């Protein structure tokens, strides 16, 4: 990396650090200041709609122009994020708070779906007690792990 590129990268990072320190950053990293007294306009979110947007969101690996060639990042492009969720400041950045919020809401929606499906499976098993219903391990578990679970 040339000295000029390094100097430009350091300058950009220095600017980012100054902005972050003014906006609730901590020594451990970005921190959200979203506490009940500091926010306004809190609206409920439909987790199933968010989950559907997550499923449709293009995700790729990439690197910034200033990153060394061996560095890779994984995630959506900010423009796609903005189009899918419309949260954050603009279509050029993805705020960590928003990424966390989308992930949490999607996980909650998946948990609700899983709980409902488990209830349906148990109800179906209860309807046909004469048939043997061996409990199977999830497909992602090896036979060893399944044996440990039994």
């Amino acid at each position: 990396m040339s000295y000029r590129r390094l100097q430009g990268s350091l300058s950009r990072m220095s600017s980012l650090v100054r902005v972050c320190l003014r906006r609730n950053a901590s020594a451990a990293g970005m921190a959200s200041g979203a506490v009940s007294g500091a926010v306004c306009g809190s609206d409920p979110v439909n987790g199933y709609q968010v989950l559907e947007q997550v499923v449709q969101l293009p995700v790729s690996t990439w690197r910034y122009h200033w990153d060394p060639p061996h560095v890779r990042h994984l995630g959506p492009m900010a423009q796609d994020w903005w189009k899918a969720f419309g949260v954050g400041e603009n279509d050029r950045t993805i705020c960590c708070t928003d990424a966390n919020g989308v992930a949490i809401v999607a996980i909650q929606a998946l948990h609700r779906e899983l709980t409902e499906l488990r209830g349906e499976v148990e109800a179906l098993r209860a309807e046909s007690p004469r048939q043997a219903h061996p409990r199977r391990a999830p497909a992602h578990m090896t036979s060893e792990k399944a044996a440990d679970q039994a």
Side-chain angles (χ1 to χ4, degrees), residues 81-126:
W81 179 270
W82 181 263
K83 184 178 175 186
F85 305 110
V87 295
E89 194 170 335
N90 56 46
D91 71 344
R92 307 295 298 160
T93 58
I94 299 173
C95 175
C96 296
T97 301
D98 297 323
N100 291 340
V102 165
I104 289 168
V105 168
I107 290 167
Q108 290 173 341
L110 285 171
H111 175 73
R112 284 192 301 273
E113 285 186 4
L114 181 60
T115 301
E116 291 170 13
L117 288 172
R118 284 179 176 163
E120 289 178 24
V121 167
E122 290 304 317
L124 289 170
R125 285 182 178 160

mmCIF file of all heavy atoms in Angstrom, residues 81-126:
data_model
loop_
_atom_site.group_PDB
_atom_site.id
_atom_site.type_symbol
_atom_site.label_atom_id
_atom_site.label_comp_id
_atom_site.label_asym_id
_atom_site.label_seq_id
_atom_site.Cartn_x
_atom_site.Cartn_y
_atom_site.Cartn_z
ATOM 1 N N TRP A 81 -30.225 -2.484 1.463
ATOM 2 C CA TRP A 81 -30.726 -2.398 2.840
ATOM 3 C C TRP A 81 -31.771 -1.288 2.940
ATOM 4 O O TRP A 81 -32.844 -1.479 3.487
ATOM 5 C CB TRP A 81 -29.558 -2.121 3.777
ATOM 6 C CG TRP A 81 -29.935 -2.000 5.206
ATOM 7 C CD1 TRP A 81 -30.291 -0.856 5.865
ATOM 8 C CD2 TRP A 81 -30.020 -3.051 6.160
ATOM 9 N NE1 TRP A 81 -30.582 -1.135 7.177
ATOM 10 C CE2 TRP A 81 -30.418 -2.471 7.387
ATOM 11 C CE3 TRP A 81 -29.784 -4.416 6.104
ATOM 12 C CZ2 TRP A 81 -30.579 -3.225 8.532
ATOM 13 C CZ3 TRP A 81 -29.949 -5.155 7.253
ATOM 14 C CH2 TRP A 81 -30.352 -4.563 8.444
ATOM 15 N N TRP A 82 -31.444 -0.130 2.412
ATOM 16 C CA TRP A 82 -32.344 1.021 2.459
ATOM 17 C C TRP A 82 -33.646 0.706 1.729
ATOM 18 O O TRP A 82 -34.732 1.010 2.221
ATOM 19 C CB TRP A 82 -31.660 2.238 1.841
ATOM 20 C CG TRP A 82 -32.488 3.473 1.855
ATOM 21 C CD1 TRP A 82 -33.257 3.965 0.831
ATOM 22 C CD2 TRP A 82 -32.667 4.383 2.945
ATOM 23 N NE1 TRP A 82 -33.873 5.116 1.215
ATOM 24 C CE2 TRP A 82 -33.536 5.403 2.517
ATOM 25 C CE3 TRP A 82 -32.163 4.435 4.246
ATOM 26 C CZ2 TRP A 82 -33.912 6.453 3.324
ATOM 27 C CZ3 TRP A 82 -32.544 5.490 5.049
ATOM 28 C CH2 TRP A 82 -33.406 6.480 4.593
ATOM 29 N N LYS A 83 -33.533 0.080 0.569
ATOM 30 C CA LYS A 83 -34.725 -0.278 -0.210
ATOM 31 C C LYS A 83 -35.597 -1.279 0.543
ATOM 32 O O LYS A 83 -36.822 -1.178 0.544
ATOM 33 C CB LYS A 83 -34.303 -0.866 -1.560
ATOM 34 C CG LYS A 83 -35.453 -1.183 -2.478
ATOM 35 C CD LYS A 83 -34.939 -1.719 -3.807
ATOM 36 C CE LYS A 83 -36.073 -2.158 -4.695
ATOM 37 N NZ LYS A 83 -35.585 -2.795 -5.919
ATOM 38 N N ALA A 84 -34.974 -2.230 1.229
ATOM 39 C CA ALA A 84 -35.718 -3.282 1.939
ATOM 40 C C ALA A 84 -36.361 -2.763 3.222
ATOM 41 O O ALA A 84 -37.512 -3.096 3.517
ATOM 42 C CB ALA A 84 -34.796 -4.459 2.263
ATOM 43 N N PHE A 85 -35.636 -1.970 3.997
ATOM 44 C CA PHE A 85 -36.107 -1.615 5.331
ATOM 45 C C PHE A 85 -36.388 -0.130 5.543
ATOM 46 O O PHE A 85 -37.159 0.232 6.426
ATOM 47 C CB PHE A 85 -35.101 -2.086 6.391
ATOM 48 C CG PHE A 85 -34.803 -3.546 6.292
ATOM 49 C CD1 PHE A 85 -33.564 -3.980 5.851
ATOM 50 C CD2 PHE A 85 -35.760 -4.493 6.602
ATOM 51 C CE1 PHE A 85 -33.282 -5.329 5.741
ATOM 52 C CE2 PHE A 85 -35.494 -5.838 6.489
ATOM 53 C CZ PHE A 85 -34.253 -6.257 6.057
ATOM 54 N N GLY A 86 -35.741 0.729 4.782
ATOM 55 C CA GLY A 86 -35.973 2.169 4.922
ATOM 56 C C GLY A 86 -35.620 2.717 6.289
ATOM 57 O O GLY A 86 -36.222 3.684 6.741
ATOM 58 N N VAL A 87 -34.665 2.103 6.967
ATOM 59 C CA VAL A 87 -34.245 2.588 8.282
ATOM 60 C C VAL A 87 -32.798 3.044 8.204
ATOM 61 O O VAL A 87 -32.025 2.587 7.371
ATOM 62 C CB VAL A 87 -34.402 1.516 9.382
ATOM 63 C CG1 VAL A 87 -35.860 1.166 9.602
ATOM 64 C CG2 VAL A 87 -33.587 0.271 9.072
ATOM 65 N N GLY A 88 -32.454 3.955 9.080
ATOM 66 C CA GLY A 88 -31.111 4.501 9.095
ATOM 67 C C GLY A 88 -31.114 5.909 8.553
ATOM 68 O O GLY A 88 -32.165 6.520 8.327
ATOM 69 N N GLU A 89 -29.925 6.411 8.345
ATOM 70 C CA GLU A 89 -29.771 7.805 7.942
ATOM 71 C C GLU A 89 -29.870 8.014 6.437
ATOM 72 O O GLU A 89 -30.371 9.031 5.971
ATOM 73 C CB GLU A 89 -28.416 8.310 8.450
ATOM 74 C CG GLU A 89 -28.268 9.800 8.409
ATOM 75 C CD GLU A 89 -27.027 10.266 9.141
ATOM 76 O OE1 GLU A 89 -26.551 9.553 10.043
ATOM 77 O OE2 GLU A 89 -26.536 11.345 8.799
ATOM 78 N N ASN A 90 -29.380 7.031 5.664
ATOM 79 C CA ASN A 90 -29.351 7.201 4.212
ATOM 80 C C ASN A 90 -29.141 5.851 3.536
ATOM 81 O O ASN A 90 -29.093 4.824 4.201
ATOM 82 C CB ASN A 90 -28.241 8.187 3.819
ATOM 83 C CG ASN A 90 -26.884 7.766 4.346
ATOM 84 O OD1 ASN A 90 -26.492 6.605 4.241
ATOM 85 N ND2 ASN A 90 -26.158 8.697 4.947
ATOM 86 N N ASP A 91 -28.987 5.879 2.214
ATOM 87 C CA ASP A 91 -28.782 4.638 1.468
ATOM 88 C C ASP A 91 -27.301 4.351 1.216
ATOM 89 O O ASP A 91 -26.953 3.566 0.350
ATOM 90 C CB ASP A 91 -29.553 4.658 0.153
ATOM 91 C CG ASP A 91 -28.967 5.624 -0.872
ATOM 92 O OD1 ASP A 91 -28.161 6.498 -0.489
ATOM 93 O OD2 ASP A 91 -29.325 5.500 -2.054
ATOM 94 N N ARG A 92 -26.426 4.979 1.990
ATOM 95 C CA ARG A 92 -24.982 4.801 1.822
ATOM 96 C C ARG A 92 -24.341 4.063 2.997
ATOM 97 O O ARG A 92 -23.193 3.648 2.912
ATOM 98 C CB ARG A 92 -24.283 6.157 1.655
ATOM 99 C CG ARG A 92 -24.853 7.049 0.556
ATOM 100 C CD ARG A 92 -24.710 6.512 -0.827
ATOM 101 N NE ARG A 92 -23.310 6.371 -1.180
ATOM 102 C CZ ARG A 92 -22.862 5.600 -2.154
ATOM 103 N NH1 ARG A 92 -23.697 4.906 -2.880
ATOM 104 N NH2 ARG A 92 -21.591 5.514 -2.406
ATOM 105 N N THR A 93 -25.078 3.928 4.102
ATOM 106 C CA THR A 93 -24.529 3.269 5.285
ATOM 107 C C THR A 93 -25.586 2.378 5.915
ATOM 108 O O THR A 93 -26.782 2.582 5.727
ATOM 109 C CB THR A 93 -24.067 4.297 6.339
ATOM 110 O OG1 THR A 93 -25.180 5.113 6.700
ATOM 111 C CG2 THR A 93 -22.935 5.167 5.824
ATOM 112 N N ILE A 94 -25.133 1.393 6.673
ATOM 113 C CA ILE A 94 -26.025 0.546 7.461
ATOM 114 C C ILE A 94 -25.628 0.740 8.918
ATOM 115 O O ILE A 94 -24.507 0.415 9.310
ATOM 116 C CB ILE A 94 -25.907 -0.942 7.066
ATOM 117 C CG1 ILE A 94 -26.279 -1.137 5.602
ATOM 118 C CG2 ILE A 94 -26.781 -1.807 7.976
ATOM 119 C CD1 ILE A 94 -26.034 -2.538 5.077
ATOM 120 N N CYS A 95 -26.533 1.274 9.689
ATOM 121 C CA CYS A 95 -26.276 1.531 11.101
ATOM 122 C C CYS A 95 -26.302 0.205 11.872
ATOM 123 O O CYS A 95 -27.195 -0.626 11.664
ATOM 124 C CB CYS A 95 -27.340 2.485 11.634
ATOM 125 S SG CYS A 95 -27.238 2.770 13.398
ATOM 126 N N CYS A 96 -25.339 0.021 12.765
ATOM 127 C CA CYS A 96 -25.266 -1.212 13.565
ATOM 128 C C CYS A 96 -26.539 -1.432 14.378
ATOM 129 O O CYS A 96 -26.999 -2.564 14.530
ATOM 130 C CB CYS A 96 -24.067 -1.169 14.496
ATOM 131 S SG CYS A 96 -22.488 -1.135 13.630
ATOM 132 N N THR A 97 -27.120 -0.359 14.896
ATOM 133 C CA THR A 97 -28.356 -0.467 15.668
ATOM 134 C C THR A 97 -29.476 -1.044 14.806
ATOM 135 O O THR A 97 -30.230 -1.910 15.246
ATOM 136 C CB THR A 97 -28.771 0.901 16.231
ATOM 137 O OG1 THR A 97 -27.720 1.395 17.057
ATOM 138 C CG2 THR A 97 -30.056 0.820 17.018
ATOM 139 N N ASP A 98 -29.573 -0.579 13.567
ATOM 140 C CA ASP A 98 -30.613 -1.073 12.665
ATOM 141 C C ASP A 98 -30.362 -2.524 12.271
ATOM 142 O O ASP A 98 -31.298 -3.327 12.204
ATOM 143 C CB ASP A 98 -30.704 -0.191 11.414
ATOM 144 C CG ASP A 98 -31.102 1.231 11.756
ATOM 145 O OD1 ASP A 98 -31.919 1.419 12.670
ATOM 146 O OD2 ASP A 98 -30.584 2.162 11.114
ATOM 147 N N ALA A 99 -29.098 -2.871 12.015
ATOM 148 C CA ALA A 99 -28.776 -4.258 11.674
ATOM 149 C C ALA A 99 -29.136 -5.181 12.837
ATOM 150 O O ALA A 99 -29.718 -6.252 12.633
ATOM 151 C CB ALA A 99 -27.298 -4.383 11.315
ATOM 152 N N ASN A 100 -28.814 -4.757 14.050
ATOM 153 C CA ASN A 100 -29.169 -5.549 15.225
ATOM 154 C C ASN A 100 -30.678 -5.674 15.357
ATOM 155 O O ASN A 100 -31.200 -6.753 15.647
ATOM 156 C CB ASN A 100 -28.591 -4.931 16.497
ATOM 157 C CG ASN A 100 -27.088 -5.031 16.567
ATOM 158 O OD1 ASN A 100 -26.474 -5.847 15.903
ATOM 159 N ND2 ASN A 100 -26.490 -4.173 17.372
ATOM 160 N N GLY A 101 -31.389 -4.587 15.157
ATOM 161 C CA GLY A 101 -32.846 -4.605 15.279
ATOM 162 C C GLY A 101 -33.497 -5.527 14.273
ATOM 163 O O GLY A 101 -34.391 -6.309 14.612
ATOM 164 N N VAL A 102 -33.047 -5.458 13.025
ATOM 165 C CA VAL A 102 -33.602 -6.338 11.991
ATOM 166 C C VAL A 102 -33.322 -7.796 12.341
ATOM 167 O O VAL A 102 -34.204 -8.649 12.246
ATOM 168 C CB VAL A 102 -33.035 -5.973 10.600
ATOM 169 C CG1 VAL A 102 -33.297 -7.072 9.579
ATOM 170 C CG2 VAL A 102 -33.632 -4.647 10.118
ATOM 171 N N ALA A 103 -32.102 -8.091 12.782
ATOM 172 C CA ALA A 103 -31.762 -9.477 13.145
ATOM 173 C C ALA A 103 -32.628 -9.969 14.298
ATOM 174 O O ALA A 103 -33.152 -11.089 14.256
ATOM 175 C CB ALA A 103 -30.276 -9.577 13.501
ATOM 176 N N ILE A 104 -32.805 -9.142 15.320
ATOM 177 C CA ILE A 104 -33.592 -9.558 16.486
ATOM 178 C C ILE A 104 -35.052 -9.785 16.107
ATOM 179 O O ILE A 104 -35.657 -10.784 16.497
ATOM 180 C CB ILE A 104 -33.458 -8.519 17.623
ATOM 181 C CG1 ILE A 104 -32.050 -8.586 18.207
ATOM 182 C CG2 ILE A 104 -34.504 -8.752 18.714
ATOM 183 C CD1 ILE A 104 -31.706 -7.435 19.131
ATOM 184 N N VAL A 105 -35.628 -8.883 15.328
ATOM 185 C CA VAL A 105 -37.028 -9.031 14.929
ATOM 186 C C VAL A 105 -37.212 -10.273 14.058
ATOM 187 O O VAL A 105 -38.188 -11.015 14.218
ATOM 188 C CB VAL A 105 -37.523 -7.760 14.199
ATOM 189 C CG1 VAL A 105 -38.855 -7.992 13.528
ATOM 190 C CG2 VAL A 105 -37.625 -6.603 15.176
ATOM 191 N N ALA A 106 -36.265 -10.529 13.156
ATOM 192 C CA ALA A 106 -36.356 -11.721 12.307
ATOM 193 C C ALA A 106 -36.236 -12.995 13.140
ATOM 194 O O ALA A 106 -36.972 -13.969 12.916
ATOM 195 C CB ALA A 106 -35.279 -11.681 11.221
ATOM 196 N N ILE A 107 -35.345 -12.997 14.123
ATOM 197 C CA ILE A 107 -35.205 -14.162 15.006
ATOM 198 C C ILE A 107 -36.485 -14.376 15.803
ATOM 199 O O ILE A 107 -36.946 -15.516 15.969
ATOM 200 C CB ILE A 107 -33.984 -13.990 15.939
ATOM 201 C CG1 ILE A 107 -32.688 -14.085 15.127
ATOM 202 C CG2 ILE A 107 -34.002 -15.026 17.060
ATOM 203 C CD1 ILE A 107 -31.450 -13.619 15.873
ATOM 204 N N GLN A 108 -37.085 -13.296 16.291
ATOM 205 C CA GLN A 108 -38.347 -13.423 17.029
ATOM 206 C C GLN A 108 -39.443 -14.008 16.146
ATOM 207 O O GLN A 108 -40.218 -14.866 16.588
ATOM 208 C CB GLN A 108 -38.778 -12.060 17.580
ATOM 209 C CG GLN A 108 -37.909 -11.556 18.704
ATOM 210 C CD GLN A 108 -38.250 -10.134 19.112
ATOM 211 O OE1 GLN A 108 -38.880 -9.378 18.368
ATOM 212 N NE2 GLN A 108 -37.820 -9.744 20.305
ATOM 213 N N ALA A 109 -39.509 -13.567 14.889
ATOM 214 C CA ALA A 109 -40.524 -14.100 13.969
ATOM 215 C C ALA A 109 -40.275 -15.582 13.704
ATOM 216 O O ALA A 109 -41.224 -16.383 13.679
ATOM 217 C CB ALA A 109 -40.521 -13.309 12.662
ATOM 218 N N LEU A 110 -39.021 -15.958 13.505
ATOM 219 C CA LEU A 110 -38.700 -17.373 13.306
ATOM 220 C C LEU A 110 -39.064 -18.200 14.533
ATOM 221 O O LEU A 110 -39.573 -19.316 14.408
ATOM 222 C CB LEU A 110 -37.214 -17.551 12.990
ATOM 223 C CG LEU A 110 -36.782 -17.154 11.589
ATOM 224 C CD1 LEU A 110 -35.255 -17.184 11.489
ATOM 225 C CD2 LEU A 110 -37.407 -18.060 10.547
ATOM 226 N N HIS A 111 -38.816 -17.656 15.715
ATOM 227 C CA HIS A 111 -39.166 -18.365 16.948
ATOM 228 C C HIS A 111 -40.682 -18.576 17.042
ATOM 229 O O HIS A 111 -41.134 -19.667 17.403
ATOM 230 C CB HIS A 111 -38.668 -17.591 18.173
ATOM 231 C CG HIS A 111 -39.089 -18.206 19.461
ATOM 232 N ND1 HIS A 111 -38.525 -19.372 19.943
ATOM 233 C CD2 HIS A 111 -40.027 -17.849 20.352
ATOM 234 C CE1 HIS A 111 -39.095 -19.690 21.081
ATOM 235 N NE2 HIS A 111 -40.016 -18.780 21.359
ATOM 236 N N ARG A 112 -41.456 -17.546 16.697
ATOM 237 C CA ARG A 112 -42.926 -17.698 16.720
ATOM 238 C C ARG A 112 -43.364 -18.771 15.735
ATOM 239 O O ARG A 112 -44.218 -19.606 16.049
ATOM 240 C CB ARG A 112 -43.610 -16.363 16.423
ATOM 241 C CG ARG A 112 -43.593 -15.389 17.593
ATOM 242 C CD ARG A 112 -44.503 -14.200 17.379
ATOM 243 N NE ARG A 112 -44.186 -13.413 16.197
ATOM 244 C CZ ARG A 112 -43.288 -12.415 16.179
ATOM 245 N NH1 ARG A 112 -42.625 -12.099 17.265
ATOM 246 N NH2 ARG A 112 -43.071 -11.753 15.071
ATOM 247 N N GLU A 113 -42.796 -18.751 14.526
ATOM 248 C CA GLU A 113 -43.150 -19.769 13.530
ATOM 249 C C GLU A 113 -42.788 -21.165 14.025
ATOM 250 O O GLU A 113 -43.580 -22.100 13.893
ATOM 251 C CB GLU A 113 -42.439 -19.489 12.203
ATOM 252 C CG GLU A 113 -43.038 -18.351 11.426
ATOM 253 C CD GLU A 113 -42.396 -18.184 10.047
ATOM 254 O OE1 GLU A 113 -41.536 -19.003 9.663
ATOM 255 O OE2 GLU A 113 -42.770 -17.223 9.361
ATOM 256 N N LEU A 114 -41.606 -21.311 14.595
ATOM 257 C CA LEU A 114 -41.165 -22.603 15.102
ATOM 258 C C LEU A 114 -42.074 -23.084 16.227
ATOM 259 O O LEU A 114 -42.471 -24.257 16.264
ATOM 260 C CB LEU A 114 -39.720 -22.510 15.590
ATOM 261 C CG LEU A 114 -39.098 -23.789 16.143
ATOM 262 C CD1 LEU A 114 -39.094 -24.886 15.086
ATOM 263 C CD2 LEU A 114 -37.696 -23.508 16.653
ATOM 264 N N THR A 115 -42.445 -22.198 17.133
ATOM 265 C CA THR A 115 -43.333 -22.562 18.241
ATOM 266 C C THR A 115 -44.690 -23.013 17.713
ATOM 267 O O THR A 115 -45.250 -24.012 18.180
ATOM 268 C CB THR A 115 -43.493 -21.366 19.202
ATOM 269 O OG1 THR A 115 -42.199 -21.008 19.696
ATOM 270 C CG2 THR A 115 -44.403 -21.690 20.362
ATOM 271 N N GLU A 116 -45.231 -22.280 16.727
ATOM 272 C CA GLU A 116 -46.511 -22.665 16.133
ATOM 273 C C GLU A 116 -46.415 -24.032 15.458
ATOM 274 O O GLU A 116 -47.311 -24.869 15.609
ATOM 275 C CB GLU A 116 -46.958 -21.614 15.123
ATOM 276 C CG GLU A 116 -47.361 -20.289 15.754
ATOM 277 C CD GLU A 116 -47.569 -19.182 14.714
ATOM 278 O OE1 GLU A 116 -47.639 -19.494 13.503
ATOM 279 O OE2 GLU A 116 -47.654 -18.016 15.132
ATOM 280 N N LEU A 117 -45.342 -24.259 14.714
ATOM 281 C CA LEU A 117 -45.172 -25.540 14.023
ATOM 282 C C LEU A 117 -45.016 -26.695 15.007
ATOM 283 O O LEU A 117 -45.568 -27.776 14.792
ATOM 284 C CB LEU A 117 -43.973 -25.486 13.076
ATOM 285 C CG LEU A 117 -44.170 -24.646 11.820
ATOM 286 C CD1 LEU A 117 -42.855 -24.496 11.059
ATOM 287 C CD2 LEU A 117 -45.242 -25.253 10.925
ATOM 288 N N ARG A 118 -44.276 -26.456 16.077
ATOM 289 C CA ARG A 118 -44.152 -27.500 17.104
ATOM 290 C C ARG A 118 -45.512 -27.839 17.700
ATOM 291 O O ARG A 118 -45.813 -29.007 17.957
ATOM 292 C CB ARG A 118 -43.196 -27.053 18.203
ATOM 293 C CG ARG A 118 -41.746 -27.116 17.807
ATOM 294 C CD ARG A 118 -40.863 -26.646 18.934
ATOM 295 N NE ARG A 118 -39.460 -26.795 18.586
ATOM 296 C CZ ARG A 118 -38.480 -26.183 19.221
ATOM 297 N NH1 ARG A 118 -38.747 -25.378 20.241
ATOM 298 N NH2 ARG A 118 -37.231 -26.364 18.861
ATOM 299 N N GLY A 119 -46.328 -26.824 17.937
ATOM 300 C CA GLY A 119 -47.676 -27.062 18.464
ATOM 301 C C GLY A 119 -48.517 -27.870 17.494
ATOM 302 O O GLY A 119 -49.254 -28.779 17.902
ATOM 303 N N GLU A 120 -48.414 -27.542 16.210
ATOM 304 C CA GLU A 120 -49.160 -28.290 15.199
ATOM 305 C C GLU A 120 -48.703 -29.744 15.135
ATOM 306 O O GLU A 120 -49.530 -30.656 15.030
ATOM 307 C CB GLU A 120 -49.000 -27.633 13.825
ATOM 308 C CG GLU A 120 -49.731 -26.315 13.691
ATOM 309 C CD GLU A 120 -49.498 -25.668 12.333
ATOM 310 O OE1 GLU A 120 -49.174 -26.394 11.355
ATOM 311 O OE2 GLU A 120 -49.627 -24.432 12.251
ATOM 312 N N VAL A 121 -47.400 -29.971 15.213
ATOM 313 C CA VAL A 121 -46.869 -31.336 15.170
ATOM 314 C C VAL A 121 -47.371 -32.122 16.372
ATOM 315 O O VAL A 121 -47.819 -33.269 16.240
ATOM 316 C CB VAL A 121 -45.324 -31.328 15.116
ATOM 317 C CG1 VAL A 121 -44.748 -32.709 15.386
ATOM 318 C CG2 VAL A 121 -44.843 -30.818 13.764
ATOM 319 N N GLU A 122 -47.314 -31.524 17.559
ATOM 320 C CA GLU A 122 -47.801 -32.206 18.758
ATOM 321 C C GLU A 122 -49.293 -32.512 18.653
ATOM 322 O O GLU A 122 -49.738 -33.588 19.054
ATOM 323 C CB GLU A 122 -47.501 -31.370 20.007
ATOM 324 C CG GLU A 122 -46.031 -31.307 20.367
ATOM 325 C CD GLU A 122 -45.393 -32.672 20.552
ATOM 326 O OE1 GLU A 122 -46.015 -33.567 21.184
ATOM 327 O OE2 GLU A 122 -44.259 -32.858 20.055
ATOM 328 N N ALA A 123 -50.073 -31.578 18.105
ATOM 329 C CA ALA A 123 -51.511 -31.811 17.942
ATOM 330 C C ALA A 123 -51.763 -32.963 16.976
ATOM 331 O O ALA A 123 -52.634 -33.811 17.214
ATOM 332 C CB ALA A 123 -52.197 -30.534 17.450
ATOM 333 N N LEU A 124 -51.000 -33.010 15.889
ATOM 334 C CA LEU A 124 -51.156 -34.100 14.927
ATOM 335 C C LEU A 124 -50.761 -35.438 15.543
ATOM 336 O O LEU A 124 -51.408 -36.452 15.295
ATOM 337 C CB LEU A 124 -50.327 -33.825 13.671
ATOM 338 C CG LEU A 124 -50.848 -32.701 12.779
ATOM 339 C CD1 LEU A 124 -49.823 -32.354 11.699
ATOM 340 C CD2 LEU A 124 -52.176 -33.102 12.147
ATOM 341 N N ARG A 125 -49.712 -35.428 16.339
ATOM 342 C CA ARG A 125 -49.303 -36.663 17.014
ATOM 343 C C ARG A 125 -50.370 -37.121 17.999
ATOM 344 O O ARG A 125 -50.619 -38.315 18.144
ATOM 345 C CB ARG A 125 -47.981 -36.460 17.734
ATOM 346 C CG ARG A 125 -46.800 -36.415 16.811
ATOM 347 C CD ARG A 125 -45.511 -36.270 17.567
ATOM 348 N NE ARG A 125 -44.382 -36.290 16.634
ATOM 349 C CZ ARG A 125 -43.197 -35.822 16.915
ATOM 350 N NH1 ARG A 125 -42.950 -35.303 18.094
ATOM 351 N NH2 ARG A 125 -42.239 -35.875 16.021
ATOM 352 N N ALA A 126 -50.992 -36.191 18.680
ATOM 353 C CA ALA A 126 -52.035 -36.535 19.655
ATOM 354 C C ALA A 126 -53.274 -37.087 18.959
ATOM 355 O O ALA A 126 -53.984 -37.922 19.524
ATOM 356 C CB ALA A 126 -52.398 -35.307 20.487
#
